[in-house]
């Protein structure tokens, strides 16, 4: 429970990193490279993740029914192609 924040009810972690910053200097016609410090913040909410997974499952089932009943929706064509594998019987 090291990274659990009770106030917000989620897990969070901060990771310090180095970022290679490049700045063009037109007056000197060169590029200056420096290392800058940045912080990457990770947040994870278990309840939100479960809700999102349920929402995705419902969408996948809807698209599956559309395909099985031969009621394809033009707006969903890209979703069919990226989320399903179509097989001929």
């Amino acid at each position: 429970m090291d990274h659990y924040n009770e106030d917000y009810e989620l897990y969070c972690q901060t990771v310090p990193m180095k970022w290679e910053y490049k700045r063009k200097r037109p007056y000197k016609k060169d590029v200056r490279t420096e290392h800058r410090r940045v912080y990457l913040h990770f947040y994870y909410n278990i309840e939100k993740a479960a809700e999102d997974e349920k929402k995705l499952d419902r969408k996948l089932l809807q698209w599956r029914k559309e395909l099985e009943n031969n009621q394809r929706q033009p707006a969903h064509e890209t979703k069919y192609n990226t989320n399903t594998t179509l097989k001929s019987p």
Side-chain angles (χ1 to χ4, degrees):
M1 291 298 210
D2 230 11
H3 301 287
Y4 187 72
N5 184 316
E6 289 183 51
D7 296 335
Y8 295 103
E9 297 180 344
L10 52 77
Y11 291 90
C12 53
Q13 183 173 4
T14 300
V15 179
M17 301 175 66
K18 285 186 179 179
W19 171 45
E20 189 175 287
Y21 174 74
K22 294 182 181 181
R23 180 176 50 155
K24 291 182 184 176
R25 299 189 306 180
Y27 58 93
K28 288 193 174 183
K29 297 182 182 173
D30 69 348
V31 176
R32 184 173 172 112
T33 302
E34 301 171 351
H35 284 94
R36 301 260 175 114
R37 182 179 28 208
V38 295
Y39 296 93
L40 183 59
H41 303 283
F42 292 97
Y43 298 95
Y44 183 72
N45 181 327
I46 293 174
E47 292 173 4
K48 174 92 169 80
E51 288 172 18
D52 290 347
E53 190 172 348
K54 280 176 149 179
K55 197 184 293 185
L56 177 62
D57 288 344
R58 284 193 293 269
K59 285 182 182 179
L60 289 170
L61 286 171
Q62 176 191 350
W63 299 331
R64 179 180 170 187
K65 287 178 185 177
E66 290 172 5
L67 290 170
E68 288 176 345
N69 297 329
N70 204 18
Q71 296 175 336
R72 295 172 83 113
Q73 303 293 320
H76 298 160
E77 284 297 325
T78 56
K79 302 299 182 188
Y80 302 146
N81 295 332
T82 58
N83 294 298
T84 59
T85 303
L86 301 177
K87 296 180 182 179
S88 298

